[in-house]
Amino acid sequence: MNWFITPSSVGINDFPAYLVGVILTILFPGPNSLYVLAIASVKGWRAGAWASVGIFIGDAILMIGIALGAATLLNSSPSTFKILRMLGAAYLAWMGYGFIRSGLARWYGTQVLVSGDGRSHYLNTLHPAIAALTLSLTNPKAIFFFVSFFAQFIQPEYAHPVHTFLYLALVLQIVSMTYLISLICAGQFFLGFFNRHPHYAAALWFLVGSLLIGFAGKLLLY
């Protein structure tokens, strides 16, 4: 169990710098964290928890894919990467449009939403875990980010780099889930406020939808 106590024993360079880098990276707003905060604000902590599970699984799949050579495959096949990038951008834009549409419904039709008519609410069309999982998996840039970021902290002479990678991945997932839990708590706090002030909720949905569409455009420009 010594490798749990001393990261250097599994080939990690400058673990404190890695931890700071992970925290700063996760704190930077992205589509995953925006979705968890928004869904927890409109549906409560259970929906936020399911969304967090979807993101956790999605990130785990991406990191396992890296270990199996997904980054090499995407580098050697530009057409595959382009297709994945376009799919990811389309999904982000579609989700952003859904948030904006829900914001308009809240702004102009609050009575319908308060009455609980799920058919008028875009966010009820997908299970939060499925939506978040798809959101995570349709971002091919994340694969290259994990590769480039992790590589800075792996000792090249270490005999078992897979162990190092798994250690770094585990730390990232722990920090990520801690942050998502804090977003769920924030969303639960805002839930009652947004129920009382639907116009503020509409403004949040406009903002989240616009940011998601912006992320889609950024993904296409990569």
Side-chain angles (χ1 to χ4, degrees):
M1 299 296 289
N2 184 52
W3 62 277
F4 265 114
I5 303 172
T6 57
S8 60
S9 65
V10 288
I12 297 177
N13 282 321
D14 200 358
F15 180 75
Y18 170 75
L19 186 58
V20 171
V22 165
I23 293 173
L24 292 177
T25 299
I26 290 175
L27 287 177
F28 187 81
N32 291 350
S33 56
L34 281 175
Y35 180 72
V36 170
L37 177 60
I39 203 68
S41 298
V42 72
K43 283 189 172 183
W45 69 268
R46 288 184 179 84
W50 276 116
S52 298
V53 169
I55 291 170
F56 180 87
I57 295 173
D59 287 348
I61 291 174
L62 290 180
M63 287 185 278
I64 291 172
I66 294 170
L68 297 177
T72 302
L73 173 63
L74 291 180
N75 268 325
S76 62
S77 178
S79 59
T80 301
F81 177 75
K82 183 177 180 179
I83 291 171
L84 288 176
R85 186 179 61 183
M86 293 178 66
L87 287 174
Y91 183 70
L92 281 172
W94 177 65
M95 182 171 283
Y97 166 72
F99 272 98
I100 292 175
R101 187 176 65 182
S102 292
L104 289 172
R106 279 186 170 268
W107 191 272
Y108 293 111
T110 55
Q111 306 255 348
V112 176
L113 288 169
V114 171
S115 68
D117 185 357
R119 292 174 298 176
S120 65
H121 206 310
Y122 163 75
L123 295 178
N124 281 330
T125 61
L126 285 177
H127 191 283
I130 301 300
L133 175 61
T134 308
L135 193 62
S136 178
L137 292 179
T138 51
N139 183 12
K141 288 175 60 178
I143 294 178
F144 295 107
F145 168 77
F146 287 141
V147 170
S148 60
F149 185 60
F150 285 2
Q152 302 175 54
F153 302 97
I154 297 177
Q155 298 174 9
E157 69 278 4
Y158 186 67
H160 305 287
V162 173
H163 295 171
T164 312
F165 181 86
L166 291 176
Y167 192 102
L168 295 174
L170 178 62
V171 171
L172 186 146
Q173 289 284 56
I174 291 173
V175 174
S176 176
M177 290 306 296
T178 301
Y179 177 58
L180 292 178
I181 289 171
S182 69
L183 291 180
I184 293 170
C185 294
Q188 185 68 21
F189 172 78
F190 285 117
L191 178 61
F193 175 79
F194 287 146
N195 284 337
R196 294 190 301 272
H197 305 281
H199 281 182
Y200 286 104
L204 174 64
W205 299 166
F206 293 149
L207 176 62
V208 172
S210 299
L211 289 174
L212 288 175
I213 292 174
F215 284 127
K218 184 179 179 181
L219 186 59
L220 285 177
L221 293 175
Y222 174 73

